[in-house]
Amino acid sequence: MPAETTNRGGAAVGFLDDLTALDRTSVRALRLWCAGPQGQARLWCELSNQLGAKRGKEALKAFETVVSVCMANARRPLMRHHANCNCLGADEACFAHLIAASAEGDREDAMMFAMLMASPDVAPVLVSLAEQFGTTVRRATTALPNFPKPTHSAAQHLQ
């Protein structure tokens, strides 16, 4: 496979600073979760600090399920940038749109994003799980703008 197509999903398509709080939180959560146990612990701390222990736990559990189903049924490995990178990758944008569309009840768009990322037979399940995470986080929208913003902007921070 040519080098230019191996990181297709990691291509920078925007910046996290330009996203809504829910989209930015979804991308940050994906990056931290995929960084392993230390990232997952950091995600738990951020969610519990911003949403409170109860909502933070609900959000973390829902997110864990969304990511597990998405990764287990991914059409190809999902690319993501480093947790502190300000760039928004194509796969990350798709993931954020899946969460937001699901939380907003826009099932048709959510299904489209789910099918871009995972097998079509899993898409309805993925949308339902994304809705659980998205609505849990949206309930606390006043706290979301306080989520830490990335500090790096180099696109080479792909993982």
Side-chain angles (χ1 to χ4, degrees), residues 5 20 26 34 46 57 66 87 92 100 108 111-112 114 119 122 126 134:
T5 60
T20 66
S26 298
C34 293
E46 289 181 14
K57 186 175 182 178
V66 169
C87 295
E92 295 170 330
E108 192 172 302
M111 286 291 290
M112 179 188 64
S119 59
V122 175
L126 193 54

Side-chain angles (χ1 to χ4, degrees), residues 129-150:
L129 296 169
E131 182 180 10
Q132 291 173 17
F133 173 72
T135 55
T136 299
V137 172
R138 282 189 73 181
R139 278 187 241 143
T141 55
T142 56
L144 289 177
N146 298 324
F147 265 76
K149 289 190 177 180

Side-chain angles (χ1 to χ4, degrees), residues 115-131:
M115 286 190 283
L116 287 173
M117 298 173 58
S119 59
D121 57 320
V122 175
V125 174
L126 193 54
V127 169
S128 293
L129 296 169
E131 182 180 10

Side-chain angles (χ1 to χ4, degrees), residues 69-120:
V69 169
C70 189
M71 296 294 188
N73 298 281
R75 297 166 60 90
R76 61 171 171 72
L78 299 178
M79 299 299 297
R80 64 208 174 277
H81 288 240
H82 185 273
N84 292 321
C85 183
N86 191 38
C87 295
L88 174 67
D91 285 352
E92 295 170 330
C94 188
F95 184 80
H97 287 312
L98 165 65
I99 301 293
S102 297
E104 293 167 5
D106 189 352
R107 195 149 180 90
E108 192 172 302
D109 278 0
M111 286 291 290
M112 179 188 64
F113 290 116
M115 286 190 283
L116 287 173
M117 298 173 58
S119 59

Side-chain angles (χ1 to χ4, degrees), residues 48-66:
S48 64
N49 285 338
Q50 297 300 323
L51 305 176
K54 183 180 178 195
R55 282 193 181 153
K57 186 175 182 178
E58 289 173 12
L60 185 66
K61 182 176 175 148
F63 187 79
E64 177 182 15
T65 307
V66 169

